[in-house]
Amino acid sequence: MPIKKCRYCNSMILAKGLCKKHYFRKYWKTNRNRLKLKKSLYLKTQFGFLTKLYKNMKDRVSGTLKNSAHLYKGKPILPKSTFYKWAISNPKYIELYNVYVASGYDRKLAPSIDRINPDKGYTMSNIEWVTNSENCRRASITKLRLRG
Ligand SMILES: [Zn+2]
């Protein structure tokens, strides 16, 4: 896969089609909410991205997301620290994360956690890494099966 480059130079993309230097030049001074900007950048780092993923899983099993509560609510989830420890050094995660970064943070290529058995929760033996688009594809197949 070709590595996406900044609009103005040959560096890798950080956000909005721009490298770190050009991104900050354009947005940092004009952005009133620097904390928000900092947070969005943190969530793109190899570790920060995991914190976002874990929060999404947690929201699903706690039933916060209304439209998917029937699929996830009350299902078990592994502890946060266990998830981080497992994920941060997982070769599949590192591989997917690097492709995601190289694509200029293409959402379809974002690493995602899939449950091998959709009837079970987010437990160590039931989770695996896939790309976001692969996860959506699998989810739609599961929905079709439930309907049929
Ligand atoms: Zn640049």
Side-chain angles (χ1 to χ4, degrees), residues 6-12 17-23:
C6 168
R7 230 182 291 158
Y8 302 115
C9 68
N10 255 339
S11 308
M12 267 173 69
L18 300 169
C19 70
K20 197 170 183 176
K21 189 177 87 185
H22 287 115
Y23 181 76

Side-chain angles (χ1 to χ4, degrees), residues 60-103:
R60 285 191 201 111
V61 297
S62 63
T64 322
L65 308 171
K66 290 249 157 53
N67 56 353
S68 60
H70 61 291
L71 291 171
Y72 298 98
K73 198 176 179 182
K75 296 244 178 2
I77 182 169
L78 70 173
K80 199 190 270 184
S81 60
T82 310
F83 174 70
Y84 292 162
K85 228 177 273 170
W86 167 76
I88 198 68
S89 58
N90 187 287
K92 186 72 188 173
Y93 172 59
I94 294 164
E95 182 196 319
L96 289 176
Y97 176 80
N98 288 337
V99 171
Y100 173 54
V101 173
S103 73

Side-chain angles (χ1 to χ4, degrees), residues 13-68:
I13 288 176
L14 178 70
K16 296 189 194 276
L18 300 169
C19 70
K20 197 170 183 176
K21 189 177 87 185
H22 287 115
Y23 181 76
F24 276 87
R25 195 171 286 175
K26 185 159 186 204
Y27 292 102
W28 190 251
K29 281 180 191 160
T30 56
N31 198 308
R32 266 178 263 156
N33 199 342
R34 290 185 187 187
L35 272 179
K36 204 173 164 189
L37 193 58
K38 265 189 189 165
K39 193 180 173 198
S40 81
L41 295 178
Y42 171 68
L43 293 177
K44 282 180 174 171
T45 64
Q46 196 167 325
F47 185 76
F49 187 80
L50 291 176
T51 66
K52 190 167 74 175
L53 273 186
Y54 190 84
K55 191 185 175 298
N56 290 345
M57 293 190 286
K58 192 88 186 167
D59 285 348
R60 285 191 201 111
V61 297
S62 63
T64 322
L65 308 171
K66 290 249 157 53
N67 56 353
S68 60

Side-chain angles (χ1 to χ4, degrees), residues 110-128:
S112 175
I113 290 285
D114 186 43
R115 292 167 305 146
I116 297 161
N117 180 346
D119 296 330
K120 293 182 178 165
Y122 294 102
T123 52
M124 196 55 102
S125 56
N126 196 42
I127 53 176
E128 65 177 350

